[in-house]
Amino acid sequence: MPHDLSPWAMFLAADAVVKAVMIGLALASVATWTIWIAKSLELSAARGRLRRTVARLTDHETLAEATQALGAREAIGRALVEAAAQEIRQSTRAPDKDGIKERVASRVQRLEVAAGRDMLRGTGLLATIGSVAPFVGLFGTVWGIMNSFIGISKAQTTNLAVVAPGIAEALLATAIGLVAAIPAVVIYNHFSRSIGAYRVLVGDAAAAVMRLVSRDLDRGPGLRAVSTAQQAGK
């Protein structure tokens, strides 16, 4: 009887180790596409909120006004504004405006780094799948070919009809490894560019906050106004 060489039939006929490799690679592929969908939605929503945040920060002249204008869902913008206001409130007795700006910039910079790090969550798995999956598939192929040669030795025949099915089953593992790895690499590179653009937006929001801080400090009484508005917002 001729062998059924469909992918499903080859999977069912494969060795237990090769089956385990194929299942693991299939799960890795599912994880890749799941991360793509979830992270795409997350990035799209985050960029939209940041654009609105930057627009609102640019439209207002003081940090106190910006605090009142930002919505509850604009978490990064509110965090930047609150960090700046907190540092100003703690520095109300400091005479050096440049020193206040440096301390505010330090707080804002740490928030920028944290926002970028948070958005990177999940992409590390894509990099791991993209680099490891081909080798895992190759391991399944080597194991399958070893078993095929052992079967050939036991059958004491080199008939292609006997040899080909086992080798085809083994090569299927490499094919699945590539199917898992190639999209993972492409999606990882796509997210690297998208997260870079997201970080630029965070930087724009931080720069807008620093401009508001500079205006408030130049006005002088803005220090007390910011502190009062921040306390009222809480």
Side-chain angles (χ1 to χ4, degrees), residues 76-136:
I76 294 177
R78 293 191 67 85
L80 292 171
V81 169
E82 289 170 3
Q86 182 179 2
E87 183 56 47
I88 290 175
R89 189 168 60 251
Q90 293 174 346
S91 303
T92 51
R93 297 182 181 180
D96 186 8
K97 293 181 180 179
D98 290 335
I100 296 174
K101 291 178 183 178
E102 288 179 4
R103 290 190 292 275
V104 172
S106 176
R107 284 179 180 255
V108 168
Q109 185 180 22
R110 297 315 305 163
L111 288 174
E112 282 187 66
V113 172
R117 186 172 57 247
D118 290 343
M119 192 54 68
L120 281 171
R121 284 181 308 198
T123 59
L125 181 59
L126 293 175
T128 300
I129 292 172
S131 60
V132 172
F135 297 103
V136 175

Side-chain angles (χ1 to χ4, degrees), residues 140-223:
T141 295
V142 171
W143 186 275
I145 289 177
M146 287 171 53
N147 286 334
S148 295
F149 282 129
I150 292 172
I152 291 169
S153 176
K154 291 180 179 179
Q156 296 183 351
T157 178
T158 57
N159 189 335
L160 189 61
V162 176
V163 175
I167 295 177
E169 294 160 8
L171 291 174
L172 181 61
T174 295
I176 296 176
L178 294 175
V179 168
I182 293 173
V185 172
V186 173
I187 293 171
Y188 176 78
N189 291 334
H190 166 71
F191 281 145
S192 295
R193 293 189 296 271
S194 297
I195 293 173
Y198 170 81
R199 284 175 167 170
V200 170
L201 284 174
V202 176
D204 291 342
V209 170
M210 290 304 302
R211 286 194 295 271
L212 294 175
V213 169
S214 180
R215 289 185 193 132
D216 284 342
L217 291 175
D218 289 341
R219 290 188 182 97
L223 289 174

